[in-house]
Amino acid sequence: MSLEQKLGYFFFDKNHLKRALYHPSFDGETELPEPPFDQVAYGVLGRSLLAAVVTEFALRSGCDTIETIAHQGAQILEPQRLQALQEDLCLEFYVKLSPAAKADGQSQDPTVLQETFEALVAAVYLDGGYSSMRRIVKHLLVDPVLGPTEAG
């Protein structure tokens, strides 16, 4: 099963998917379309998008104070849940690392996998818009915590 199948989203512009998967350590074993062609900027955008979507779903589920929103967000973005999701998506097989980083075991590093997931969120947003990205985040992260009806 491909990463796109696991995400439930098929990219119109595969360059967004490729860029989300190129870790900064990747040493250019092949020609890349344009420098810099790595996930760093996508990761920054992805973190912001995740925060926005999680806050939206917390509000839609009835949270109305900063404390309840923060609590709900912490449940949705709980590190062990994110790590399990990254394992389910098999991100360690898709992320592009330098040979040295691979040998170091960075393809299994939770931080590398989280950055890759955040970059994927941004890639979906840039390729298919907010509603596509929102649908994927809802399906992968929100529904397992809030349930499909609570999340809106």
Side-chain angles (χ1 to χ4, degrees):
M1 182 180 282
S2 75
L3 181 56
E4 288 175 299
Q5 289 170 314
K6 291 176 185 183
L7 285 173
Y9 181 81
F10 295 88
F11 287 85
F12 296 102
D13 182 349
K14 301 291 188 207
N15 283 323
H16 289 300
L17 174 59
K18 289 177 187 174
R19 184 166 181 183
L21 296 174
Y22 280 97
H23 187 267
S25 73
F26 188 76
D27 62 3
E29 294 170 358
T30 61
E31 292 266 333
L32 299 177
E34 60 184 62
F37 192 82
D38 63 38
Q39 63 184 213
V40 174
Y42 277 32
V44 171
L45 177 58
R47 275 186 291 286
S48 298
L49 290 166
L50 278 171
V53 170
V54 166
T55 301
E56 174 196 347
F57 285 122
L59 287 167
R60 289 183 185 279
S61 72
C63 297
D64 57 0
T65 66
I66 194 159
E67 292 82 12
T68 57
I69 291 168
H71 176 74
Q72 193 75 359
Q75 278 188 300
I76 293 169
L77 297 175
E78 196 262 328
Q80 286 79 15
R81 288 190 68 255
L82 287 173
Q83 189 169 358
L85 171 62
Q86 293 153 12
E87 290 170 8
D88 289 346
L89 294 173
C90 301
L91 290 184
E92 69 271 14
F93 298 112
Y94 296 105
V95 65
K96 306 289 186 195
L97 297 161
S98 70
K102 282 182 193 175
D104 241 7
Q106 287 188 27
S107 64
Q108 302 280 327
D109 183 326
T111 302
V112 169
L113 298 177
Q114 180 171 339
E115 291 166 353
T116 301
F117 179 70
E118 292 164 347
L120 282 169
V121 168
V124 171
Y125 168 76
L126 292 169
D127 187 68
Y130 186 83
S131 62
S132 295
M133 179 273 306
R134 181 186 183 278
R135 181 179 47 81
I136 286 166
V137 171
K138 182 179 184 295
H139 170 71
L140 294 175
L141 290 172
V142 178
D143 285 350
V145 172
L146 298 181
T149 54
E150 280 185 75

